[in-house]
Amino acid sequence: MAETYENAGGTTVPIVPAVPYADPQGDPFLRTRFALPARPATFLWRQRLVQHLGQALVTPLTLVNGPAGAGKTLLAADWAAGLRQPVAWLTVEAGDRRPGVFWAYVLQALRACGASASDAVGAPADASRVDRKLLAALAAELNDRDRPVVLVLDEYDRMTDPEVTEQLEFVLHHAGSGLHLVLVTRTEPLLPLHRYRAAGELTEIRAAELAFTPEEAVALLELHGLSLPVPAARALVDRTRGWAAGLRLSALAALESADPELYLKEFDADRSTVADFLLAEVLRGQPEETQDLLLRVSVLERFSPELANALTLRTDAEPILAGLHRDNAFVEYLGHSSYQLHPLFREILRAHLRVRLPGLEPELHRRAARWLRRSGFLPETLAHGAAAGDWDFAAGALVDDLAIGQLFTGLRSDDLTQLFSHMDPEARSPATDVVRAARDLSRHDLDHGLARLRLAEEHLTEDVPDPAAAQLSCALLEALAARLTGCPPRAERAAVTADGLRQEVPAHLLDKHPELTALLLTHLGSARLWAGRFEDARAALTTATAAPGGASTVLPREDALEHLALLDYLDGWLGRAERKALAAVSEMERVGLPQPSGSGIGQLVLAAVAVDRHELGRAQALLDETAQLPAGTHDPVPAAGRALATARLLLVRGKARAAVEAAGPDVSAAVASPWATSHEALVTAAAHVAEGRPDAAAEVLKGVSVDQPACAVEAAAIHLATGRPRVAIDLLDGLRTGSRAGPAVTVRAALVRAQAAEEAGDTATARRLVAHALLDARRERLRRPFLDAGAWLGPLLATPPLHELAAGWLTPGSPRHGEQPEEPPTPLVAVELSGRERDVLERLARMMSTEEVAADLYVSVNTVKTHLKSVYRKLAVNRRGDAVRRARDLRLL
């Protein structure tokens, strides 16, 4: 009796034996669906993927899952073509959603590869269903096979019937080791993958692994007849996310271009075959609501479902986005409910948005900006406000968030400056005036900056209901303007105003933006330094260096450290000054900002220290380095520092007239600086002495401030050189007690007193004073005061006790025979070199060339040059020999 079954309509029908040439509907089998797809001549064999896919022979289930055009099918076909065991290939089509049709094609695929099912299995007779007995018979027969069969179901994402998936799992489970199933799909199949994964029975190759690497992209382009360097290929891979179809289509289009490399770098995605592919394969296959959502979110870099809802004015974004990501529809999940579009897809969608919904883009940016501002995402708020052309809103968001300081510091200052450089001149509000003033002052455009600052302050009291944040921003700009104009009283007024306003703004904003307080304190400290109020300046600057905030406060912290270094130098503490100047460089590098802030105060301090140590080549190299920094900053403190260091170096080299010309800072200031004026006068007086005009020198010295110990001591030395010992000693006796004067001051003072004693015939006192001076100077390697002292000092240094104190660091020679040499001084500066920088430095000491160092370390020449640049910066040198000598001084070699 023939076997029967009940069809979907309830009628009992017999099971029809297999028909090898037709499906249950009577249509002939399409043989192309059983054929392995042909690999084009430009197909790139990728060993890493083939090796991974080889694991499919040891797991029951393999999933090759990726978006359209990811190279899934060609990968699977190339792998299958190399197998020795039977491979049944079936390209699934939409008509296979009915169980009977699907299983008829599966059985025919098995027959086509020689793994034909027996008559006991039979064949589906009804397109809409399959008898369980047929599936059981198929599974049993597969389980009995000596050689397992590989079944590849390509385009499996077209199979959406859960009944078929359930049947497929039944066969796979009961086929045992006789079947290896490979699903090639864009979407996640309905199979219980977690069970296979937990049991170690699943091989997975997904989109991230299918993506081409830069090296693979180079090889693929070569197959198309294109030669592209790896850096350019890396940029192309970044743009395409390594998407195979994107790379291939771009390569084909580039072949038609006059400059293929330029085309691959700059091609318009929305006008390319890539756009045609994505629009046809991804966008147009989506429901209308989904297409609308994709077009609208194309204006966003990244987005949450809530932000997407704000743009669509609907509430269905979450399930749509989750489904698009699950289906590999070029929507990438970033975690924490955040998504982004594939870069090329986003470019194409934005262009398509302008065609389908013209004029909507600014409104979408406006909606995004307002949602982002409510949610506390300031950078994105500003970007979308600017894109919408709503400058009043964007500037208001920046000012109200108390983030005006970000235009001056942090990792985003350049981006913000660039963003607001496009501000519409028609935008008129207190906030836009504040931002324009900040932008101008950041570029040291004082005339426009101050005018706009006045305008903003006038309008704030009239047009803004809660102006505290904007007024505090203006106080910061007032402090900066005071610093740049050399007006300390104005800086003090700004600081007092800021202190009052801090009580009126929310505390969380001050905590969120520590850069504002750090900048205020640094500007205040700089103005106080200019005024000669060293202790008050030190208090403000020290507080600024302790500011939290990482990268957001690195520039004011570096600026404050450099000012503190200058303070230490002016007080005579060379070692401290050097440590702080180098610490400023290290702080910048620690947060990834290798470039100096622009003022160059740190290098100027190091140059001045080098002059006092008589390291003239190093001093010149550092001054040359600061000469490359942007000019016209109008900041009087670094201008005075540059003038001081340059003039001292010229004096030492005997260029008195040039020193006088260099001594005056090339900026104007509202208030004269006592120390800057005094040092300028000292250089002029020293030049007069050098040129034989003692009376002119004495007249100039009347302008020197005796409240500055370093200046008073230098003035005393010049008075002594002009034959006025009594005036010199009176100056020294008049120095205030308890000052913070360091060795550079005390050594010079001791030498002035020693010279006066020697000229008065008191050689014993002179020797004692010189001995004290040598002891203080040796630790700092302070040579200049002794070299400037004159002929009287030579005979004293030749005497045994003093000779021993000077030997080896000030004068040639070593301690007497039989005496233990003194331990070398402790390194003054804690320079931190990386391991690779030390490797390079050690090879420099062995006189190896750059090319030899590169070969010895197995790195590129450019890498060696990068390490050298970092070593030079940390050691404050510009030449190889100086780097080696400096490293030995610091016991780094």
Side-chain angles (χ1 to χ4, degrees):
M1 182 174 177
E3 292 184 69
T4 62
Y5 69 92
E6 189 172 297
N7 65 16
T11 304
T12 301
V13 296
I15 294 178
V16 179
V19 180
Y21 57 84
D23 65 20
Q25 302 172 106
D27 296 327
F29 287 115
L30 301 174
R31 297 182 183 278
T32 54
R33 295 177 58 189
F34 308 122
L36 291 179
R39 275 82 70 207
T42 55
F43 172 76
L44 180 68
W45 185 81
R46 294 190 281 170
Q47 183 178 9
R48 63 182 179 88
L49 293 179
V50 174
Q51 285 180 338
H52 190 177
L53 195 50
Q55 296 177 21
L57 300 180
V58 295
T59 59
L61 179 61
T62 295
L63 185 67
V64 182
N65 181 288
K72 309 179 296 297
T73 296
L74 291 179
L75 168 66
D78 182 67
W79 168 76
L83 295 180
R84 294 182 179 178
Q85 57 231 77
V87 177
W89 182 282
L90 173 60
T91 301
V92 178
E93 292 189 351
D96 297 345
R97 292 171 187 167
R98 288 173 295 178
V101 177
F102 173 77
W103 284 106
Y105 266 94
V106 169
L107 290 169
Q108 187 63 18
L110 291 168
R111 295 187 188 99
C113 75
S116 58
S118 67
D119 291 342
V121 174
D126 188 340
S128 63
R129 70 182 299 277
V130 174
D131 189 351
R132 188 80 163 184
K133 291 181 180 180
L134 183 150
L135 301 176
L138 174 61
E141 189 163 302
L142 289 170
N143 190 40
D144 290 340
R145 288 183 59 87
D146 295 330
R147 297 180 66 201
V149 63
V150 175
L151 173 60
V152 180
L153 299 180
D154 188 28
E155 304 283 0
Y156 189 72
D157 45 277
R158 295 173 176 171
M159 176 51 65
T160 58
D161 188 339
E163 183 182 358
V164 170
T165 301
E166 183 182 342
Q167 293 166 353
L168 188 63
E169 192 203 353
F170 172 82
V171 172
L172 178 62
H173 176 70
H174 292 287
S177 61
L179 175 65
H180 296 294
L181 177 62
V182 179
L183 301 182
V184 181
T185 176
R186 297 184 191 181
T187 64
E188 200 79 351
L190 298 176
L191 291 165
L193 298 179
H194 60 283
R195 295 181 191 169
Y196 290 93
R197 193 178 290 121
E201 296 179 340
L202 175 63
T203 298
E204 295 181 84
I205 296 179
R206 294 187 175 267
E209 191 175 354
L210 290 167
F212 277 67
T213 66
E215 292 74 17
E216 289 171 345
V218 169
L220 178 67
L221 293 171
E222 285 176 353
L223 291 173
H224 286 79
L226 295 171
S227 178
L228 200 66
V230 172
R234 184 171 289 110
L236 181 61
V237 167
D238 287 343
R239 190 178 180 192
T240 60
R241 291 281 198 274
W243 177 44
L247 292 170
R248 287 193 173 92
L249 292 171
S250 301
L252 291 171
L255 290 172
E256 305 296 323
S257 170
D259 188 339
E261 184 173 341
L262 182 63
Y263 175 87
L264 291 172
K265 187 185 299 184
E266 301 178 355
F267 71 90
D268 293 327
D270 58 294
R271 299 180 181 178
S272 67
T273 53
V274 177
D276 298 335
F277 183 95
L278 285 173
L279 291 175
E281 292 288 330
V282 181
L283 183 65
R284 294 191 181 115
Q286 302 295 341
E288 195 65 35
E289 295 80 3
T290 302
Q291 291 190 36
D292 181 70
L293 182 144
L294 286 170
L295 290 170
R296 290 170 184 260
V297 298
S298 67
V299 302
L300 304 169
E301 291 283 348
R302 56 180 60 195
F303 47 89
S304 65
E306 293 77 17
L307 177 52
N309 284 333
L311 268 59
T312 62
L313 304 180
R314 303 199 311 263
T315 58
D316 57 356
E318 187 166 6
I320 291 176
L321 291 171
L324 288 168
H325 170 65
R326 187 174 57 249
D327 294 346
N328 282 306
F330 292 84
V331 174
E332 301 167 1
Y333 182 62
L334 305 175
H336 305 289
S337 297
S338 182
Y339 294 86
Q340 69 180 9
L341 298 175
H342 185 287
L344 280 178
F345 195 32
R346 180 171 178 261
E347 287 181 57
I348 293 161
L349 287 173
R350 287 191 69 179
H352 206 54
L353 169 70
R354 296 174 188 131
V355 174
R356 281 182 51 172
L357 300 168
L360 182 61
E361 190 171 354
E363 175 59 24
L364 293 174
H365 283 297
R366 193 172 288 108
R367 291 180 195 173
R370 278 153 178 73
W371 187 92
L372 288 161
R373 185 176 183 183
R374 290 193 300 271
S375 302
F377 298 101
L378 181 64
E380 294 86 351
T381 296
L382 300 178
H384 287 287
D390 195 343
W391 293 106
D392 291 341
F393 175 84
L398 183 76
V399 173
D400 289 346
D401 199 71
L402 214 60
I404 196 72
Q406 290 189 353
L407 280 165
F408 302 94
T409 184
L411 297 173
R412 298 189 60 251
S413 58
D414 290 342
D415 293 340
L416 285 176
T417 301
Q418 178 67 20
L419 179 80
F420 284 104
S421 67
H422 300 293
M423 193 186 302
D424 186 347
E426 298 300 318
R428 292 293 177 195
S429 69
T432 57
D433 288 333
V434 170
V435 172
R436 286 191 180 99
R439 187 187 63 196
D440 291 337
L441 290 174
S442 72
R443 298 183 298 203
H444 301 92
D445 183 351
L446 292 176
D447 293 338
H448 288 97
L450 290 173
R452 283 168 172 152
L453 184 56
R454 296 284 81 78
L455 194 62
E457 289 170 336
E458 290 171 10
H459 291 164
L460 275 175
T461 55
E462 305 168 3
D463 303 336
V464 180
D466 187 13
Q471 289 173 336
L472 186 51
S473 299
C474 288
L476 168 64
L477 301 183
E478 286 284 0
L480 172 58
R483 169 183 174 173
L484 296 178
T485 56
C487 186
R490 184 178 186 176
E492 296 292 345
R493 289 194 297 272
V496 171
T497 300
D499 284 341
L501 290 168
R502 281 195 188 90
Q503 312 305 315
E504 300 181 31
V505 299
H508 76 274
L509 289 181
L510 289 170
D511 294 339
K512 181 181 176 182
H513 293 292
E515 71 276 356
L516 188 137
T517 300
L519 285 165
L520 260 168
L521 288 169
T522 302
H523 299 332
L524 178 63
S526 181
R528 287 174 174 176
L529 191 160
W530 179 251
R533 295 167 52 198
F534 286 2
E535 292 309 305
D536 292 338
R538 194 182 303 276
L541 293 167
T542 300
T543 305
T545 61
S552 70
T553 59
V554 64
L555 289 177
R557 283 187 281 121
E558 179 237 6
D559 198 12
L561 268 175
E562 290 188 328
H563 277 76
L564 287 170
L566 179 57
L567 277 172
D568 282 336
Y569 176 80
L570 293 174
D571 280 337
W573 295 95
L574 270 61
R576 293 180 187 176
E578 185 179 48
R579 280 193 291 275
K580 287 186 175 71
L582 290 174
V585 175
S586 298
E587 178 66 12
M588 293 284 284
E589 290 187 341
R590 189 178 64 81
V591 296
L593 294 173
Q595 297 303 317
S597 63
S599 68
I601 294 178
Q603 289 110 310
L604 293 169
V605 169
L606 293 172
V609 169
V611 172
D612 282 345
R613 289 178 176 162
H614 199 60
E615 298 170 351
L616 305 187
R618 178 167 172 254
Q620 186 63 62
L622 287 160
L623 286 173
D624 291 344
E625 191 173 316
T626 62
Q628 299 170 10
L629 295 171
T633 62
H634 299 286
D635 192 336
V637 171
R642 183 177 287 105
L644 170 62
T646 304
R648 287 192 178 282
L649 180 59
L650 290 168
L651 270 180
V652 167
R653 288 178 164 169
K655 300 177 180 179
R657 283 297 91 201
V660 172
E661 292 174 6
D666 190 21
V667 295
S668 59
V671 174
S673 170
W675 63 269
T677 302
S678 295
H679 281 289
E680 183 179 357
L682 288 168
V683 170
T684 303
H688 285 314
V689 171
E691 294 174 346
R693 294 190 294 276
D695 292 338
E699 187 65 26
V700 171
L701 289 176
K702 293 178 181 178
V704 174
S705 170
V706 295
D707 291 334
Q708 307 287 331
C711 296
V713 169
E714 287 200 41
I718 295 174
H719 278 301
L720 187 60
T722 61
R724 296 177 174 82
R726 188 67 263 160
V727 176
I729 297 302
D730 286 346
L731 268 177
L732 297 182
D733 290 344
L735 290 177
R736 64 180 187 272
T737 58
S739 71
R740 295 174 59 95
V745 176
T746 59
V747 166
R748 284 188 173 91
L751 289 177
V752 169
R753 292 185 184 276
Q755 183 179 355
E758 178 70 9
E759 290 175 356
D762 189 354
T763 300
T765 298
R767 284 178 180 166
R768 177 175 54 80
L769 289 167
V770 171
H772 283 303
L774 287 169
L775 285 169
D776 285 346
R778 179 171 56 182
R779 190 170 186 82
E780 299 271 4
R781 303 195 306 283
L782 179 61
R783 301 181 179 92
R784 196 68 247 157
F786 300 93
L787 299 176
D788 291 339
W792 69 271
L793 186 58
L796 288 178
L797 291 180
T799 59
L802 298 183
H803 173 73
E804 292 162 9
L805 289 173
W809 69 275
L810 179 62
T811 61
S814 56
R816 286 189 307 184
H817 179 70
E819 293 187 357
Q820 291 295 322
E822 188 174 311
E823 284 292 318
T826 313
L828 291 171
V829 185
V831 177
E832 293 185 5
L833 298 180
S834 69
R836 186 58 84 183
E837 288 168 353
R838 285 178 179 273
D839 291 340
V840 170
L841 190 58
E842 288 168 359
R843 284 157 179 78
L844 285 190
R846 284 159 27 201
M847 305 299 288
M848 295 173 69
S849 68
T850 303
E851 291 75 14
E852 290 170 334
V853 173
D856 198 43
L857 294 176
Y858 298 99
V859 297
S860 70
V861 171
N862 284 338
T863 299
V864 173
K865 290 179 178 178
T866 300
H867 289 312
L868 278 177
K869 186 175 180 180
S870 179
V871 169
Y872 291 167
R873 183 167 54 250
K874 290 180 179 180
L875 297 179
V877 298
N878 267 21
R879 297 179 179 86
R880 292 175 172 227
D882 292 341
V884 173
R885 284 191 293 275
R886 183 81 173 138
R888 285 175 175 152
D889 285 345
L890 299 175
R891 300 183 188 175
L892 298 175
L893 287 176

